[in-house]
Amino acid sequence: YPRVALLRDLSAPSKRKRKETTNEPEFTPQQLAVYGVYELQVLEDILRRKSRSNAKTLANVAEKIKKKISWEEGRQKVPSRLFLESFYRAQRARLENQMMLGKKKLTKHDD
């Protein structure tokens, strides 16, 4: 059988990111409750894209999420990619935990 290359697990921080964990934003349960599985999958697709316009896309997506979850920037501005990867990891962990408890939120419209 031919070898299949697996994509990097976005929920695991890269070596470079592990060094930056002190600057990694944290999210409240209320902020993480805003989105569901569908939105998490869309965010994963955006984070995996490799194109020149991606930096602008990441900035736009980060701003929309920050506004939707009422996230305050604080003193140090968090780079868009770091914010989105942190949000992705936290959101994925929360949704997986909820699924283990028998609760499934497919989209932001589910309660």
Side-chain angles (χ1 to χ4, degrees), residues 7-50:
L7 296 173
R8 178 176 76 86
D9 182 359
L10 292 176
S11 66
S14 67
K15 289 178 186 175
R16 182 175 60 87
K17 295 294 183 217
R18 281 187 219 131
K19 293 177 184 174
E20 299 173 356
T21 54
T22 56
N23 296 333
E24 191 164 312
E26 295 182 15
F27 304 96
T28 66
Q30 295 81 10
Q31 290 170 323
L32 295 173
V34 172
Y35 291 114
V37 173
Y38 173 78
E39 292 82 14
L40 184 71
Q41 291 171 337
V42 170
L43 179 56
E44 182 176 349
D45 289 341
I46 291 168
L47 288 169
R48 290 194 185 280
R49 286 186 200 155
K50 298 195 185 319

Side-chain angles (χ1 to χ4, degrees), residues 14 40 44 46 56 59 66 70 76-77 92-93 99 107:
S14 67
L40 184 71
E44 182 176 349
I46 291 168
K56 188 173 184 176
K66 288 175 185 178
S70 302
Q76 265 188 313
K77 186 161 171 65
R92 181 173 165 177
M99 283 184 195
T107 71

